[in-house]
Amino acid sequence: MSRSTKMQFADYDWSSKHLNYLVIHNPPFDFVFRGSNGTFTSYGSGQNVAIWLAAKLKYTYSFVLINQTLIDKYGIHEAAFYQLVNDKDIDGIASSFYVTLSRMQRMDHTTHHGWVDGFRLVVPRSEEQSRLFAFIGPFEPTVWLLVFITVLVVVAVMTLFAMIYRHHPWNGPLVAQNKTDTENGTGTNMREPVSRNVLFNYLGSHTIYVVNIMTNQGCREGSSLYSFRILAGFWVLGAMVLVNSYTGIVISSLTTTKTKPSIDSLEELAASTETQVLLRHDTSIGEQILQATSGVFKVLGDKARLNPGNLVGDPFKVAEKLETGRYAFPFIKTFAMSFVSSQFKKDQRCRFKMSKPLPLSTGYYFWLFKKNSSYTNVHSKPLVELWETGLTNFWVYNLFPPTAPRAEQCFVESTRRVSSRAPIQLSDLTSAFLILGIGTGLSVLSFLTELLYSRFRLYRLPLA
């Protein structure tokens, strides 16, 4: 410690001083539990700092329980400020606070901070997505529509070929070599009456053939006609591309855990319809959101005001609401770590997560004393020395197990996490549908060639 600092401490007779500190329930830094007949139990890093300062400056101290009536009226932070300003027996608060203009006007703060922290969101961990309709996911709706249309076209063309060959008279010479059982719907015999049952038999057998190819089940050839074989061959090629593209993604979807998109920013929270925003109106970030007149802060503030129960001033109520899994709460990183860890210790699973850092300036937290108090500056210099020792961080993160129970797995991003896959688009399967288009065209050309050849043979038969 510098010589000037020692001289300044010597200018005061601190041995006769007695300071009364308010203690508040301010997890994860300080914990206060009320007992019967006005008794209470308290512990925490803030009280450790007060004890260290008292030993350093050689004065005595007492911890005073905050007034519960004021908490119910103002919220715990504002109640502490009110009691510090208006109760002449209270000298300070055994905790550090973010300094706002309103607080500076009412109280003095030390020139050196007692804690530094960033802001995060405490959000419920995303649930696993349902796999009930995972089989639809690999293709875009446009692709599914085109696949359905393609199946109908292929079945229709196959049926058309079979029906024309069945009843056109120029196919007479081919009856013997193409003779099959017409009742099963695959025959190509000529001049059989075209009944509704026969038509349905054709449609049914060709549909089964097409679907069997798509599902890799295989099926006997429906006809020996070259046009049919060309169409079926190109359908096999196109279906191979479609099926392999589909199978790879659907197997991955069914065997890999995939969660719903999680909330990692204020913008995502504002857009969420499932997770509500929870605010403490007596904290600095809560005041900023509620007083905002534009931007995402205003959106969040308006959403919170729609449900007055989402505006609280009691840490116990914050924990109670967060445990339901329906709220997200913006606050300092240390609180987020503590709450996620405590819930893991309670439930033995990671029900909550901590978001990425919010785009807010780092919070510096100072000790508060009465306005124009002579104690303020004198406490500022020992706080510098205390911060340099690292004891404050030790007290917060290590000394008290309830402050930061260990649950590392809740803060580690899983290496097995699957990024969101975009469904296969129509442009990705252009080759498959091109194959089918070429095949359909060639089969129609072959079909017309077969008809012309059959007719040519029919005209030449009488000359033989």
Side-chain angles (χ1 to χ4, degrees):
M1 185 180 297
S2 66
R3 182 179 178 183
S4 60
T5 302
K6 292 180 179 179
M7 291 180 62
Q8 186 170 4
F9 290 162
D11 291 340
Y12 296 90
D13 182 12
W14 289 97
S15 61
S16 61
K17 299 291 184 180
H18 183 89
L19 273 65
N20 291 319
Y21 286 104
L22 276 179
V23 290
I24 63 174
H25 186 72
N26 186 35
F29 303 100
D30 300 284
F31 299 82
V32 177
F33 303 96
R34 295 177 183 270
S36 57
N37 301 321
T39 60
F40 66 94
T41 303
S42 63
Y43 59 88
S45 59
Q47 295 174 53
N48 280 4
V49 172
I51 294 170
W52 188 92
L53 290 172
K56 185 70 177 178
L57 298 176
K58 296 181 175 58
Y59 62 80
T60 59
Y61 64 91
S62 296
F63 292 134
V64 180
L65 183 63
I66 190 172
N67 189 301
Q68 182 62 43
T69 303
L70 294 177
I71 293 177
D72 297 336
K73 184 176 182 180
Y74 299 113
I76 197 163
H77 283 187
E78 282 299 325
F81 302 154
Y82 181 90
Q83 198 163 345
L84 174 61
V85 171
N86 295 283
D87 190 338
K88 63 180 181 179
D89 295 327
I90 300 300
D91 301 296
I93 306 173
S95 190
S96 53
F97 297 89
Y98 188 87
V99 175
T100 64
L101 179 60
S102 173
R103 294 172 184 179
M104 291 176 60
Q105 292 172 344
R106 291 179 289 168
M107 298 162 285
D108 282 348
H109 64 87
T110 56
T111 56
H112 192 272
H113 55 265
W115 187 250
V116 179
D117 216 337
F119 294 94
R120 304 288 185 99
L121 283 171
V122 178
V123 296
R125 188 169 289 275
S126 301
E127 299 177 352
E128 183 179 340
Q129 285 188 350
S130 172
R131 303 180 188 180
L132 182 60
F133 297 102
F135 62 93
I136 299 178
F139 289 163
E140 278 191 338
T142 307
V143 176
W144 281 116
L145 177 61
L146 195 53
V147 169
F148 180 72
I149 293 174
T150 303
V151 170
L152 293 181
V153 170
V154 172
V155 171
V157 172
M158 288 181 175
T159 303
L160 179 64
F161 289 172
M163 295 300 296
I164 292 177
Y165 270 103
R166 177 184 176 85
H167 72 272
H168 271 70
W170 54 73
N171 290 325
L174 300 178
V175 171
Q177 56 183 317
N178 288 317
K179 189 174 183 179
T180 55
D181 186 5
T182 58
E183 293 183 357
N184 63 15
T186 61
T188 58
N189 291 333
M190 58 167 262
R191 299 179 183 177
E192 295 289 342
V194 182
S195 66
R196 180 176 299 179
N197 290 337
V198 173
L199 176 62
F200 284 148
N201 283 341
Y202 278 127
L203 288 173
S205 63
H206 294 149
T207 300
I208 292 174
Y209 178 80
V210 169
V211 172
N212 281 345
I213 296 300
M214 289 187 65
T215 55
N216 287 332
Q217 300 302 310
C219 186
R220 74 181 184 88
E221 188 179 32
S223 175
S224 60
L225 300 173
Y226 288 112
S227 55
F228 186 95
R229 289 179 175 180
I230 292 174
L231 180 59
F234 277 91
W235 171 248
V236 170
L237 290 176
M240 180 182 67
V241 177
L242 292 173
V243 170
N244 288 336
S245 300
Y246 174 85
T247 304
I249 292 183
V250 79
I251 290 176
S252 176
S253 300
L254 292 174
T255 58
T256 305
T257 300
K258 187 177 179 182
T259 58
K260 298 178 181 178
S262 61
I263 295 174
D264 262 327
S265 66
L266 295 175
E267 289 76 12
E268 291 173 351
L269 176 58
S272 175
T273 57
E274 297 181 358
T275 304
Q276 301 181 47
V277 58
L278 179 66
L279 296 177
R280 274 189 64 175
H281 56 74
D282 61 342
T283 61
S284 60
I285 188 170
E287 291 178 0
Q288 290 180 57
I289 292 175
L290 292 173
Q291 295 172 5
T293 57
S294 62
V296 67
F297 275 18
K298 182 180 186 303
V299 175
L300 291 173
D302 292 341
K303 290 183 68 174
R305 279 186 284 266
L306 290 175
N307 300 281
N310 294 357
L311 300 175
V312 298
D314 188 338
F316 289 105
K317 292 181 180 179
V318 170
E320 180 182 341
K321 283 184 171 292
L322 282 177
E323 286 177 359
T324 64
R326 295 185 289 112
Y327 298 91
F329 180 58
F331 202 35
I332 56 177
K333 175 185 175 181
T334 308
F335 173 86
M337 293 177 60
S338 174
F339 181 82
V340 172
S341 300
S342 65
Q343 292 302 304
F344 174 81
K345 184 178 181 180
K346 177 181 177 181
D347 301 323
Q348 293 303 306
R349 62 189 182 96
C350 297
R351 293 183 56 220
F352 299 89
K353 61 168 285 187
M354 180 173 64
S355 74
K356 298 177 182 178
L358 299 180
L360 302 172
S361 58
T362 301
Y364 290 84
Y365 297 81
F366 300 84
W367 279 62
L368 302 179
F369 293 91
K370 286 185 180 296
K371 194 69 174 176
N372 301 321
S373 171
S374 60
Y375 302 145
T376 306
N377 289 332
V378 176
H379 281 81
S380 295
K381 296 186 182 298
L383 281 174
V384 176
E385 182 179 348
L386 176 60
W387 185 260
E388 291 174 348
T389 65
L391 281 174
T392 306
N393 286 278
F394 174 78
W395 287 330
V396 171
Y397 291 119
N398 297 285
L399 189 56
F400 295 101
T403 303
R406 294 293 178 256
E408 288 85 354
Q409 59 182 324
C410 298
F411 303 101
V412 177
E413 291 294 331
S414 173
T415 57
R416 297 172 56 190
R417 184 180 299 272
V418 179
S419 59
S420 178
R421 293 189 183 89
I424 294 179
Q425 301 177 3
L426 184 58
S427 58
D428 300 323
L429 294 173
T430 304
S431 59
F433 290 105
L434 178 62
I435 290 173
L436 292 173
I438 294 174
T440 302
L442 290 177
S443 65
V444 171
L445 179 61
S446 175
F447 173 72
L448 294 176
T449 303
E450 288 175 332
L451 288 183
L452 292 174
Y453 178 72
S454 298
R455 189 167 187 178
F456 175 75
R457 290 191 60 188
L458 180 64
Y459 285 144
R460 292 190 59 182
L461 280 177
L463 302 176

